[in-house]
Amino acid sequence: TAYRRQRQMCIRDRGAASDGQIEHIGEEVGYVLEGMLELRLGEESYTLGPGDVFTFSSNVPHGYSNVGDVVAKVLWVNSPATF
């Protein structure tokens, strides 16, 4: 079965964060281009910087915040598309 993928350039100002944690069907993968991102997956937290890659099942509660001093830019892909 083919799934539609949603790709987006996620750009977040210093201190910006998601509105809590969400969960939904699918998979997500991302590549940090600039800045520092804290990715929260359930109870775990990961600090990611330029060149770091992440992937996770979207049914795990997840959220993020820009913990750096500059704008964070992340190439983010969801499958299936969620928006």
Side-chain angles (χ1 to χ4, degrees), residues 3-51:
Y3 288 102
R4 292 182 50 110
R5 287 179 268 317
Q6 172 189 347
R7 63 206 172 285
Q8 60 184 331
M9 177 67 70
C10 182
I11 301 173
R12 296 296 179 254
D13 289 329
R14 187 176 75 183
S18 59
D19 188 22
Q21 292 190 335
I22 63 169
E23 52 189 284
H24 48 89
I25 64 166
E27 297 287 327
E28 301 188 36
V29 62
Y31 177 73
V32 180
L33 298 167
E34 298 177 22
M36 299 296 292
L37 188 78
E38 180 184 65
L39 179 63
R40 293 179 303 282
L41 302 174
E43 300 295 320
E44 301 292 321
S45 178
Y46 305 91
T47 302
L48 307 171

